[in-house]
Amino acid sequence: MSSNQATKSIIPLYDGMNKIPGGAMVIPLVLGSIIGTFFPEFLGLGSFTTALFKSSAGPLIALLIFSTGMQITLRSSGPVLAHTGVILLFKTIVPAALVTLLGLFIGNDGIWGISLLAMLTVVANSNGGIWLAFTGKYGDYRDRGAYIASAVNDGPFFVLLFLGASGLADIPFSLMLAAVLPLVIGMIIGNLDPKWTDLMKPTGAIVIPFFAFALGTGINLHAIVTGGATGIILGVLSSVLTGFLVFIGYKTILRRGNLSGIGFAAGTTAGNAIITPEIVAQADPTFAPFVQTATAQIAASVLVSAVIAPLLAAWVLKRQGGLVEESKGEN
């Protein structure tokens, strides 16, 4: 039997998934949300089934952050950190600062039925899984290494930081430190022992579909319906506007030319941002009245942005003539 016959898929699940930009993240996320909404009893079977398909998101994301830190060596840190800085600046810091400034004028109630908590959570973080999946196909080591931005802004870190610094909330420093510690430890170990760096390189490809599914189980499709048009609009606007800002940074600061469209792939909302309103409310109970509605709107934004951002990035790359060239980027 030839090697081609031996490895031929009965059903090309993996290849089919990868035909969609970010498919390794998007498809498991959607499947997880369907299972979590309509067949939650499956997720409650217990033992390894529950551990893998429902409870694994946090540990697997932490592992990915840890392993990403190991890839940041002294040799590669310059270009990687430059890309990371651009993404953090234009995807998180600038939009979050603008939303926080708006909050100082309109208060925590927000506008048009969208609370400050929902707006800030959606713009202040990005989906590292989508970014890794997209740049793994179209980017090079600089883009993939810039996942550090998602490792830092993923979750409640910047939401807590901006709310605390602006005086809109009282946030413990320990919560912010805990969000970046795995990355720092990974960087230290990776630079001390390159064998760990090589060992952990495949981590992203392995864990992304699994933590995406687990994150999806926390997205109740009924809640997205509850979030309604406001959540969908919030997701669309955030994807387009924050993605455009990163695109500008890629084009003007990093000078990536016709490959600048990659920046649009950063215009996402991280799946675990769904739990951010609850974390903020635990730190500052004055936000408790906004948690339910904000969670539904953020859930809608997660799903909408997970689809829009990679498709928009691929479209811009194609329009600018960078799609073919980038797909041959450095591994």
Side-chain angles (χ1 to χ4, degrees), residues 107-160:
N108 293 338
D109 289 336
I111 189 172
W112 301 328
I114 304 174
S115 67
L116 173 70
L117 180 58
M119 286 188 284
L120 186 58
T121 299
V122 165
V123 303
N125 67 86
S126 57
N127 191 318
I130 294 291
W131 179 259
L132 283 172
F134 189 85
T135 58
K137 186 173 183 180
Y138 302 114
D140 61 24
Y141 78 96
R142 296 169 295 177
D143 305 302
R144 291 190 290 274
Y147 169 79
I148 301 172
S150 293
V152 174
N153 71 16
D154 192 1
F157 176 73
F158 275 99
V159 176
L160 296 173

Side-chain angles (χ1 to χ4, degrees), residues 136-219:
K137 186 173 183 180
Y138 302 114
D140 61 24
Y141 78 96
R142 296 169 295 177
D143 305 302
R144 291 190 290 274
Y147 169 79
I148 301 172
S150 293
V152 174
N153 71 16
D154 192 1
F157 176 73
F158 275 99
V159 176
L160 296 173
L161 178 64
F162 274 90
L163 288 176
S166 66
L168 292 169
D170 183 17
I171 308 301
F173 174 75
S174 60
L175 289 178
M176 296 184 282
L177 178 63
V180 297
L181 200 55
L183 180 75
V184 174
I185 295 173
M187 290 176 66
I188 294 172
I189 294 176
N191 279 277
L192 290 176
D193 187 353
K195 289 185 178 180
W196 272 106
T197 300
D198 294 335
L199 176 68
M200 301 298 286
K201 277 182 180 178
T203 301
I206 295 170
V207 303
I208 285 172
F210 292 96
F211 77 64
F213 185 94
L215 285 175
T217 64
I219 303 176

Side-chain angles (χ1 to χ4, degrees), residues 265-276:
T268 53
T269 301
N272 59 353
I274 295 169
I275 65 173
T276 296

Side-chain angles (χ1 to χ4, degrees), residues 32 43 63 95 143 175 179 192 283 292 295 299 306:
L43 302 171
L63 177 62
D143 305 302
L175 289 178
L192 290 176
Q292 184 174 357
T295 299

Side-chain angles (χ1 to χ4, degrees), residues 56 59 91 151 174 191 225 230 264 325 328:
S56 64
K91 172 61 182 85
S174 60
N191 279 277
V225 173
T230 54
F264 274 100
E325 179 180 346
K328 299 177 181 177

